[in-house]
């Protein structure tokens, strides 16, 4: 039985989704989860892009237990050398170097002749090889490149030592049958000298179909992202590819992946929470409606036997019916067991904090569901908090002036002040600015109920610019939306301070 390697690029191409930037601790948290999920290769970033990217790749390299850690690099020495330094502590490491191969890109963007492109690619692969045996080469815009040229460049980079050859559909132009034949011809050309990989974008909504067609035709690595995040319309969604291969293993001749499918839902929730981008409700596998049956005929069928209308069990992807599990009387042991069964391993400090939040929540909320526990665990910060909210008092009347008073702690000292605003949220953010001495500009604000019911936890996601051109995200979680908003604002301020400190 053949194995398909899953190469996850949520932290690199996924982060290129408009509005999806992540802090270093958030990337590390996601990388840990991807490692647990069983992805073969984690593309942790583009190390040369910024200090932040370099640090993120380096930290991830230090924590991954099983996955190979990879950094992207152009076919430029400085990129490759920086990528190599960033991944040097990883147990298994890969350098992924790329150059465009289509006439459109070579003429209009690179302004390079095809033979120069081949020389550059060969030099880059040879240089990458001096740092690691595992070198991937990508032909950017492969699907608009000439077949003859692709064969020439692939032969040359294989000779130079490339072990994986990636054929991105960079602009999402391919269609399934055509991409399948394209991959088949290249697999036949390369033989068993290297693994053929695919990387499909979703501009025509065909990324998953194209990836699966490639696999039918001999590709043995698929590049994809959680929730299909990625540049423009996104990349092929990991969860859809993995579940298609598993559910239709009869059709795919038993082709399998190393993904622990029960970790899929938890990973999807974490990525959605961190990026503030929820999968659409009808998104396959992880959307809110993916396993819910509305019509009476369907409900009746499912009650008689789920197989009537369900081709997969929700539990296969880690959705345990969002069960009501813990309550006010549950102790730390039960809480820890629950966290572990949902795939979370928190350190002692994080666990203590999460348990306090859980007890606090259990006092206010009658029913606590798996999604509440996930939200609590996902909201555990791994950064030092410079500022912390101690107290918030608001007065808002339709006729009066919205006012907020806060007490904020900084280095064991408490500071209190009050401000008025155009609305309550505005007043809260203004008073935090006043107390902290920073002046944030709100760029995005979203609030979502974690579960159903009037007493649901509110999760607030915001983006604030404390400095022009540097939008920083923040999250807040609380049963009270105003407190969640204040926490989210303070979180973005703490994230900003951390970025500045690293710089
Ligand atoms: O879409 C693309 O071509 C890419 C490459 C850099 C692999 O993301
Ligand atoms: Zn891409």
């Amino acid at each position: 039985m053949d194995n398909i390697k899953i190469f996850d690029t949520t932290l690199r191409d996924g982060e290129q989704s408009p509005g999806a930037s992540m802090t270093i601790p958030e990337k590390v948290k996601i990388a840990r989860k991807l490692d647990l999920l069983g992805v073969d290769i984690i593309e942790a970033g583009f190390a040369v892009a910024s200090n932040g990217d370099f640090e993120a790749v380096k930290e991830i390299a230090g924590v991954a237990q099983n996955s190979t850690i990879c950094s992207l690099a152009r076919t430029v020495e400085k990129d490759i050398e920086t990528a190599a330094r960033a991944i040097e502590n990883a147990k298994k490491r890969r350098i992924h170097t790329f150059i465009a191969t289509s006439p459109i890109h070579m003429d209009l963007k690179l302004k390079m002749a095809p033979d120069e492109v081949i020389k550059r690619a060969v030099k880059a692969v040879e240089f990458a090889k001096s740092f690691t045996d595992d070198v991937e080469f990508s032909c950017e815009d492969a699907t608009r490149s000439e077949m003859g040229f692709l064969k020439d460049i692939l032969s040359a980079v294989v000779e130079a030592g490339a072990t994986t050859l990636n054929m991105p559909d960079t602009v999402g132009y391919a269609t399934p049958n055509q991409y399948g034949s394209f991959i088949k011809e290249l697999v036949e050309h390369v033989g068993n000298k290297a693994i053929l990989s695919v990387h499909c974008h979703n501009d025509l909504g065909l990324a998953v179909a194209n990836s699966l067609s490639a696999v039918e035709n001999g590709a043995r690595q698929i590049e994809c992202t959680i929730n299909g995040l990625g540049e423009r319309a996104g990349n092929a969604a990991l969860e859809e590819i993995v579940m298609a291969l598993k559910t239709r293993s009869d059709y795919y001749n038993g082709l399998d992946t190393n993904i622990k499918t029960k970790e899929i839902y938890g990973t999807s929730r974490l990525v959605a929470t961190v990026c503030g981008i929820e999968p659409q409700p009808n998104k396959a596998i992880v959307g809110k409606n993916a396993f819910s049956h509305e019509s009476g005929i369907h409900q009746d069928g499912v009650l008689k036997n789920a197989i009537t209308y369900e081709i997969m069990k929700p539990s296969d992807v880690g959705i345990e019916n969002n069960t009501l599990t813990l309550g006010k009387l549950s102790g730390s042991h039960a809480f820890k067991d629950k966290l572990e069964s949902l795939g979370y391993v928190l350190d002692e400090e994080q666990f203590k904090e999460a348990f306090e939040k859980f007890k606090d929540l259990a006092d206010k909320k009658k029913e606590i569901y798996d999604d509440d526990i996930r939200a609590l665990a996902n909201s555990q910060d791994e950064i030092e908090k410079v500022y912390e909210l101690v107290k918030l008092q608001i007065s808002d009347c339709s006729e009066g002036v919205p006012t907020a008073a806060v007490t904020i702690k900084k280095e064991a000292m408490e500071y209190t002040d009050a401000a008025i605003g155009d609305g309550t949220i505005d007043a809260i953010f203004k008073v935090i600015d006043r107390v902290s001495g920073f002046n944030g500009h709100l760029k995005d604000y979203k609030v979502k109920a974690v579960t159903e019911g009037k007493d649901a936890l509110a999760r607030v996601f915001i983006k604030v610019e404390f400095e022009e051109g540097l939008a920083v995200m923040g999250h807040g979680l609380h049963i009270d939306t105003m407190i969640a908003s204040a926490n989210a604002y303070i979180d973005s301020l703490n994230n900003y301070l951390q970025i500045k400190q690293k710089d």
Side-chain angles (χ1 to χ4, degrees):
M1 192 161 71
D2 251 356
N3 190 276
I4 303 294
K5 282 190 194 305
I6 296 293
F7 174 115
D8 180 280
T9 182
T10 307
L11 299 172
R12 201 275 299 168
D13 219 327
E15 205 200 16
Q16 290 172 221
S17 295
S21 60
M22 306 168 216
T23 63
I24 297 174
E26 286 168 344
K27 286 186 181 177
V28 173
K29 202 191 271 189
I30 291 176
R32 282 206 169 101
K33 196 83 175 158
L34 293 171
D35 197 21
L36 202 75
L37 175 67
V39 310
D40 299 283
I41 302 108
I42 297 174
E43 187 162 54
F46 190 178
V48 82
S50 69
N51 283 346
D53 272 59
F54 178 83
E55 282 300 321
V57 179
K58 194 173 154 90
E59 283 196 31
I60 291 167
V63 300
Q65 295 302 313
N66 300 305
S67 309
T68 296
I69 301 304
C70 168
S71 170
L72 186 65
R74 288 167 300 179
T75 48
V76 172
E77 278 205 2
K78 180 166 179 257
D79 284 33
I80 295 169
E81 190 266 325
T82 311
R85 267 192 297 118
I87 59 171
E88 71 190 355
N89 291 331
K91 290 190 176 152
K92 292 184 261 173
R93 41 187 181 270
R94 172 179 293 190
I95 295 175
H96 174 194
T97 186
F98 75 100
I99 190 163
T101 50
S102 65
I104 301 177
H105 279 232
M106 290 191 292
D107 292 349
L108 304 178
K109 186 182 81 174
L110 299 176
K111 304 200 186 308
M112 280 170 78
D115 57 335
E116 278 179 87
V117 169
I118 297 188
K119 275 193 207 129
R120 236 302 262 264
V122 166
K123 224 170 129 202
V125 170
E126 282 170 353
F127 188 51
K129 241 2 218 191
S130 66
F131 299 103
T132 171
D133 274 346
D134 189 346
V135 174
E136 171 169 335
F137 173 74
S138 278
C139 301
E140 191 189 11
D141 205 18
T143 47
R144 293 191 297 169
S145 304
E146 282 163 8
M147 183 52 89
F149 180 62
L150 287 177
K151 288 182 180 168
D152 289 346
I153 197 165
L154 292 189
S155 301
V157 294
V158 165
E159 187 68 27
T163 41
T164 302
L165 306 172
N166 187 36
M167 296 292 134
D169 183 24
T170 304
V171 289
Y173 180 69
T175 58
N177 284 344
Q178 176 218 351
Y179 194 56
S181 332
F182 168 82
I183 292 296
K184 187 168 193 244
E185 192 167 341
L186 292 170
V187 169
E188 279 162 7
H189 175 71
V190 172
N192 57 10
K193 293 191 201 113
I195 290 183
L196 245 289
S197 163
V198 292
H199 174 114
C200 297
H201 279 271
N202 208 26
D203 299 66
L204 296 173
L206 296 171
V208 169
N210 286 338
S211 307
L212 292 171
S213 169
V215 157
E216 278 187 69
N217 285 285
R220 288 296 174 265
Q221 172 178 287
I222 301 183
E223 303 198 354
C224 44
T225 58
I226 301 292
N227 298 342
L229 284 183
E231 185 85 35
R232 305 182 309 278
N235 288 59
L238 179 149
E239 59 279 6
E240 294 178 23
I241 284 167
V242 169
M243 291 314 288
L245 290 174
K246 184 177 160 99
T247 310
R248 294 307 312 274
S249 83
D250 59 325
Y251 178 74
Y252 290 107
N253 292 326
L255 285 177
D256 205 4
T257 69
N258 293 324
I259 297 296
K260 299 184 188 74
T261 62
K262 282 187 182 296
E263 297 293 334
I264 285 180
Y265 183 66
T267 313
S268 162
R269 292 312 315 141
L270 176 63
V271 170
T273 307
V274 164
C275 298
I277 301 176
E278 281 295 321
Q280 78 226 34
N282 59 333
K283 163 90 178 60
I285 319 293
V286 294
K288 190 166 172 276
N289 302 341
F291 293 96
S292 68
H293 302 274
E294 282 292 309
S295 104
I297 297 175
H298 287 212
Q299 286 173 348
D300 179 57
V302 170
L303 286 173
K304 286 181 177 139
N305 191 331
I307 198 177
T308 51
Y309 288 101
E310 271 182 9
I311 56 165
M312 309 163 261
K313 292 201 283 302
S315 59
D316 292 342
V317 296
I319 303 175
E320 299 296 348
N321 224 358
N322 207 13
T323 37
L324 170 65
T325 41
L326 299 175
K328 199 164 144 149
L329 300 174
S330 309
S332 65
H333 205 96
F335 183 62
K336 194 169 205 161
D337 278 355
K338 188 72 212 173
L339 280 175
E340 279 172 10
S341 77
L342 294 176
Y344 292 97
V345 187
L346 303 185
D347 65 29
E348 213 176 305
E349 195 54 34
Q350 290 171 334
F351 176 77
K352 224 174 103 204
E353 205 183 305
F355 186 59
E356 270 168 31
K357 284 190 191 161
F358 161 72
K359 281 302 216 188
D360 194 33
L361 181 66
D363 266 345
K364 301 187 176 94
K365 191 174 187 301
K366 262 202 341 248
E367 299 171 330
I368 298 198
Y369 295 91
D370 284 358
D371 275 351
D372 291 314
I373 308 285
R374 281 194 182 95
L376 285 181
N378 288 342
S379 75
Q380 285 316 107
D381 283 322
E382 288 175 33
I383 64 158
E384 196 193 322
K385 292 181 197 141
V386 179
Y387 291 99
E388 259 178 272
L389 180 71
V390 179
K391 247 186 267 167
L392 170 69
Q393 196 183 329
I394 49 173
S395 77
D396 171 30
C397 25
S398 49
E399 308 270 315
V401 183
T403 313
V406 294
T407 301
I408 288 176
K409 193 160 95 182
K410 185 187 177 200
E411 289 158 8
M413 293 286 288
E414 292 194 355
Y415 304 88
T416 303
D417 209 334
I420 56 169
D422 292 333
T424 313
I425 301 272
D426 187 42
I428 293 173
F429 295 167
K430 278 198 174 125
V431 71
I432 295 172
D433 279 353
R434 212 170 152 122
V435 176
S436 64
F438 288 88
N439 184 14
H441 293 273
L442 191 63
K443 293 285 164 190
D444 197 5
Y445 174 94
K446 287 183 204 136
V447 59
K448 188 176 180 291
V450 171
T451 53
E452 283 157 19
K454 288 191 192 117
D455 62 353
L457 269 173
R459 187 189 307 114
V460 172
F461 168 88
I462 62 175
K463 234 183 227 174
V464 187
E465 267 187 18
F466 291 99
E467 176 182 320
E468 213 183 307
L470 179 61
V472 181
M473 292 182 298
H475 302 271
L477 184 75
H478 202 273
I479 205 153
D480 184 297
T481 309
M482 296 303 138
I483 299 181
S485 303
N487 279 331
Y489 197 83
I490 291 174
D491 189 44
S492 66
L493 179 56
N494 286 332
N495 286 335
Y496 169 71
L497 293 173
Q498 212 203 28
I499 292 170
K500 293 318 278 178
Q501 193 192 339
K502 290 246 174 204
D503 277 354

